[in-house]
């Protein structure tokens, strides 16, 4: 048994250390997806001024997108929550939608969104008459919309609630202003 093991061990070194002429080149792979179709798209929209809709009882605004979405695209929306000072530098603090606010002891509002292939509808829902909602929640709001291709979204481990994580994972360098 020792002889067989030694022989196999020696053959392994002999066969792996042989050199010779390079073989023929392999076949080309299938064409890839163009980079601009695979990249994330990002937009910043401001100022957003919500309007109360008597029919729905919601505060609403529609943001038209500069191009049509694909059926598989993933849409993320972030709201500028506040500007904080970190080490003497103003820094934007972004919150993902949906986002809740508790007003008084019983009133609650929630920023939510839905989208079609052509636009994103931003909504404020709540448990009270939203026509009386303070303008601090409805006027001069800033949102960032990120559109991601579904394939990398499914294959990456990303904290989508953190805008900085999304920016880093998809190499977003700027937000186009709409």
């Amino acid at each position: 048994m020792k002889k067989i093991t030694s022989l196999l061990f020696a053959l392994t070194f002999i066969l792996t250390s042989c050199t010779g002429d390079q073989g023929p080149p392999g076949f080309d792979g299938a064409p890839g997806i163009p980079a601009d179709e695979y990249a994330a798209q990002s937009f910043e929209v401001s100022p957003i001024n919500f309007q109360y809709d008597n029919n729905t009882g919601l505060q609403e605004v529609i943001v038209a997108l500069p191009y049509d979405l694909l059926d598989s695209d993933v849409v993320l929306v972030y709201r500028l929550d506040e500007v904080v000072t970190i080490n003497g530098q103003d820094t934007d603090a972004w919150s993902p939608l949906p986002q809740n606010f508790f007003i008084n002891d019983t009133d609650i509002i929630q920023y939510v969104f839905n989208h079609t292939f052509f636009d994103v509808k931003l909504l404020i829902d709540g448990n009270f008459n939203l026509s009386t909602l303070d303008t601090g929640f409805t006027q001069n709001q800033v949102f960032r919309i990120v559109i991601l291709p579904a394939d990398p979204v499914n294959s990456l481990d990303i904290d989508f609630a953190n805008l900085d994580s999304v920016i880093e994972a998809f190499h977003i360098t700027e937000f186009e202003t709409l």
Side-chain angles (χ1 to χ4, degrees):
M1 184 71 175
K2 256 186 171 179
K3 285 185 177 185
I4 293 174
T5 305
S6 298
L7 181 63
L8 287 174
F9 187 70
L11 280 174
T12 302
F13 279 111
I14 292 170
L15 294 176
T16 57
S17 63
C18 296
T19 60
D21 294 334
Q22 186 173 355
F27 296 107
D28 289 339
I33 300 170
D36 60 342
E37 290 180 27
Y38 198 65
Q41 301 293 319
S42 53
F43 311 98
E44 182 167 303
V45 288
S46 71
I48 291 292
N49 296 311
F50 288 86
Q51 298 294 316
Y52 181 74
D53 184 331
N54 285 319
N55 295 325
T56 64
L58 303 174
Q59 296 276 351
E60 304 179 356
V61 66
I62 295 176
V63 178
L65 297 173
Y67 64 90
D68 296 348
L69 298 179
L70 299 175
D71 191 31
S72 61
D73 285 342
V74 175
V75 177
L76 304 172
V77 179
Y78 300 85
R79 179 181 168 271
L80 180 61
D81 200 29
E82 62 182 325
V83 178
V84 296
T85 303
I86 299 175
N87 296 328
Q89 182 176 353
D90 286 345
T91 305
D92 294 342
W94 296 94
S95 296
L97 269 56
Q99 181 186 27
N100 295 323
F101 286 92
F102 300 92
I103 306 167
N104 305 324
D105 290 333
T106 58
D107 297 339
I108 302 169
I109 64 167
Q110 183 177 47
Y111 287 90
V112 293
F113 73 98
N114 61 44
H115 69 87
T116 67
F117 295 115
F118 316 105
D119 58 41
V120 173
K121 182 187 263 187
L122 302 171
L123 306 149
I124 303 174
D125 195 356
N127 66 346
F128 62 97
N129 181 352
L130 294 176
S131 66
T132 63
L133 184 60
D134 185 87
T135 58
F137 292 105
T138 62
Q139 303 300 298
N140 298 314
Q141 300 295 304
V142 180
F143 290 88
R144 284 188 169 172
I145 300 171
V146 180
I147 301 167
L148 305 174
D151 290 336
V153 167
N154 293 330
S155 64
L156 296 175
D157 184 25
I158 302 170
D159 177 9
F160 291 103
N162 184 331
L163 180 59
D164 290 332
S165 295
V166 173
I167 288 171
E168 182 179 329
F170 287 91
H171 309 291
I172 297 171
T173 56
E174 64 181 294
F175 283 82
E176 179 182 333
T177 303
L178 294 182

